[in-house]
């Protein structure tokens, strides 16, 4: 298994290009199941999760040709309607095949994802919405079996804004009979992008990006030609990398509107952030200010940036209170940061981070995608050497992160660990 070795203490400088957004590419690739014909999805990042989607699309019968960052998907003939456990287990987003398969073929069988490192992460809201649209849902040996002759438009209120639930139901509703209204919908930029792509396919989706999305069902959709937007979380991670190393980095391609909460918190912590035509330039502060954050659904502070921001706060000049409101168990990076000398106390959903003078390099282990990123960031700022193992999590969501950081002057390498 690979690990990453970092010799910390170097200020990052230069320019880094943001890759296509993982969490946008996933639903877009699944949306290709909604229409026959040849879709083209460009600017798809090279990641382990994307390999999983490719595998799943092939299992379902789609013809997938991948060339550099571009996917040509022809889902004219669907052979299977089952997303097997082995794939759903490695990537929960596989449940996003439910909406498209049910809408187009009237039948889908998807393994229940179960828990994951960051919490229980149920899909009850996806299922409740599909039932409201007329689907019959049964649980069978760990699988969700959903059937519907034709889904019917419905008014659906989400008890909490779920990103995947909103996406699944938007895709299902695109081919339903009549109008679907999703209330208390998630407002993440990925939802807006999916709506844009669906509309290119001939769907009628309005209001995406607000808490009410209205989808007027159509009888048939056509293939899409779409390029995935830049990854706001990858961009945010590089912004924190600039701040924590007191560096000066131009993050090219980032869309600042997607990161307002993070930008404002980084400024509060003393970073200088300049918006230019090509992206955001982040200059790290000499003294890192301690600021409080609370994660919340978009446009709140993203839970996917909590671990990375906490790494920055370990070196703050005072005390920072970090509250995780989206997932129940997203503090697994804390023990590892503590092993590097961080002073963090957790109580329930809140972490109290007292800034320390410096972090000390140590062997650490990643437990989920964003936790891995936070350990890399801590390693960049720590004294001596940090070894991050179990980095397969990192490869799920960051494209060539070590190359990109090396390009900014970091001393970082990937080595093979003996099996
Ligand atoms: N929830 C329910 N019932 C449901 C669905 C969700 O209770 O039926 C709860 C979840 O347990 C969680 C909250 O609602 O507490 C929000 O979950 P959501 O459904 O919004 O999350 P998701 O769609 O499973 C996506 C991203 C995550 C990101 C979250 C929140 C993708 C593929 N994943 O997950 O990304 O953290 O939204 O923004 O888009 C990551 O990239 O590292 C990552 C985990």
């Amino acid at each position: 298994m690979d690990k990453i070795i970092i010799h910390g203490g170097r200020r990052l400088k230069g320019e880094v290009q943001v890759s296509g957004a993982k969490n946008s590419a996933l639903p877009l690739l699944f949306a290709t199941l909604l229409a026959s014909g040849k879709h083209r999805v460009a600017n798809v990042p090279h990641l382990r999760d994307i390999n999983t989607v490719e595998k799943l699309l092939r299992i379902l019968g789609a013809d997938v040709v991948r060339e550099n960052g571009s996917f040509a998907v022809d889902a004219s003939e669907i052979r299977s309607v089952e997303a097997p456990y082995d794939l759903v287990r490695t990537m929960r987003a596989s449940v996003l095949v439910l909406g498209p398969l049910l809408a187009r073929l009237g039948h889908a069988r998807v393994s229940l994802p179960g828990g994951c490192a960051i919490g229980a992460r149920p899909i009850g809201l996806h299922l409740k919405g599909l039932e409201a649209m007329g689907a019959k849902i049964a649980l069978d040996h760990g699988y969700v079996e959903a059937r519907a002759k034709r889904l019917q438009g419905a008014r659906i209120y989400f008890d909490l804004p779920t990103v995947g639930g909103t996406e699944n139901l938007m895709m299902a509703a695109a081919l339903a009979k009549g109008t679907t209204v999703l209330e208390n919908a998630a407002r993440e930029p990925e939802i807006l992008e999916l709506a844009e792509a669906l509309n290119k396919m001939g769907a009628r989706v309005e209001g995406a990006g607000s808490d009410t999305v209205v989808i007027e069902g159509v009888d048939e959709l056509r293939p899409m030609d779409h390029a995935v937007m830049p990854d706001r979380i990858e961009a945010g991670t590089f912004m924190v990398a600039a701040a924590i190393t007191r560096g000066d980095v131009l993050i090219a391609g980032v869309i600042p509107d997607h990161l307002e909460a993070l930008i404002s918190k980084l400024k509060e912590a003393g970073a200088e952030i300049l918006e230019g035509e090509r992206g955001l330039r982040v200059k790290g502060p000499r003294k890192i200010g301690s600021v409080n954050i609370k994660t919340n659904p978009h446009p709140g502070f993203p839970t996917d940036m909590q671990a990375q921001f906490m790494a920055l706060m370990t070196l703050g000049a005072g005390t920072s209170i970090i509250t995780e409101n989206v997932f129940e168990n997203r503090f697994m990076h804390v023990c590892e940061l503590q092993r590097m000398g961080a002073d963090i106390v957790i109580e329930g959903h809140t972490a109290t981070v007292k800034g320390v003078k410096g972090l000390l390099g140590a062997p650490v282990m990643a437990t989920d995608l964003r936790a891995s990123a936070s350990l890399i960031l801590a390693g960049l700022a720590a004294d001596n050497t940090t070894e991050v193992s179990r980095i397969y999590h990192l490869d799920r969501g960051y494209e060539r992160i070590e190359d990109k950081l090396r390009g900014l002057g970091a001393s970082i390498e990937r080595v093979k660990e003996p099996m």
Side-chain angles (χ1 to χ4, degrees), residues 7 23 33 121 128 149 209 253 271 273 299 301-302 309 317 337 350-351 381 390 418:
H7 301 289
N23 288 349
L33 294 168
R121 301 184 74 185
K128 214 167 116 183
K149 270 223 176 70
I273 303 186
F301 190 95
F309 201 83
L337 290 172
T350 299
R390 285 212 195 155

Side-chain angles (χ1 to χ4, degrees), residues 22-24 26-27 49 91-93 96 118-127 160-167 186 188 190 232-233 296-298 302-304 325-328 330 368-370 396:
K22 166 182 85 86
N23 288 349
S24 217
L26 299 177
D49 274 6
M91 191 189 69
R92 291 178 37 86
L96 293 176
I118 62 177
R121 301 184 74 185
I123 57 161
L125 299 174
H126 303 224
L127 302 182
L160 48 85
T162 153
V163 175
T166 306
E167 291 167 348
E188 270 65 6
E190 291 76 14
R232 63 193 168 103
I233 304 301
N296 272 311
H298 195 77
T303 174
D304 289 346
N325 287 320
V326 179
F327 288 109
E328 65 201 24
R330 211 174 193 181
D368 83 66
L369 170 55
R370 307 304 170 187
R396 287 188 46 212

Side-chain angles (χ1 to χ4, degrees), residues 6-7 9-10 75 127 131 236 240 255 292 308 318 343 353 377:
I6 305 161
H7 301 289
R10 299 204 180 180
L127 302 182
E131 270 178 333
V240 176
I255 300 175
N292 299 339
Q308 302 90 313
D343 180 348
V353 188
L377 294 173

